[in-house]
Amino acid sequence: FQKQVCDDIGRRLTVLGEAWAQGKLSAPVRKRMSLLVEELQQQHWDTADEIHRSLMVDHVNEVSQWLVGVKRLIAETRSLPTTELAVAMDGSTEAGPSQEGP
């Protein structure tokens, strides 16, 4: 990843994490984000992208500040070589929204 891309993704995911921790996300958004994290962990890029698109269509006001970061994360991880991908996925599984509860 380029540093600027990583920084942008990080900022947006921080906004997501704060909204999640503060209980500002609706149940449908939390559920879909949990599913999206599972799909990313299983490297199901197309399914993760579908979930991303459904969030943008159905919950645009709630997700607009951070969902672009999720989209970029999907695109960047999808393009990583397999060995780098394994390292990236191992590091990201512990901090994912699904680990913080429903």
Side-chain angles (χ1 to χ4, degrees):
F1 295 61
Q2 296 174 350
K3 181 173 176 14
Q4 183 179 356
V5 171
C6 285
D7 290 347
D8 182 60
I9 292 170
R11 278 190 303 275
R12 293 176 187 275
L13 293 182
T14 297
V15 172
L16 164 60
E18 290 171 355
W20 188 289
Q22 296 169 6
K24 293 183 177 179
L25 300 179
S26 66
V29 170
R30 290 192 318 265
K31 173 73 172 161
R32 287 192 204 176
M33 282 306 298
S34 294
L35 292 172
L36 191 146
V37 168
E38 289 174 22
E39 296 301 336
L40 286 175
Q41 289 171 337
Q42 296 173 32
Q43 301 177 25
H44 296 158
W45 314 123
D46 291 337
T47 306
D49 202 42
E50 276 181 39
I51 295 168
H52 154 267
R53 282 194 304 273
S54 74
L55 280 164
M56 186 56 84
V57 169
D58 297 340
H59 303 281
V60 66
N61 292 332
E62 191 173 353
V63 304
S64 61
Q65 291 184 330
W66 49 264
L67 199 60
V68 172
V70 173
K71 178 181 177 142
R72 292 184 87 176
L73 179 65
I74 293 168
E76 293 295 328
T77 353
R78 173 183 251 166
S79 68
L80 286 175
T82 307
T83 53
E84 288 183 42
L85 180 60
V87 171
M89 295 307 285
D90 284 345
S92 67
T93 57
E94 294 181 3
S98 66
Q99 301 297 320
E100 296 182 24

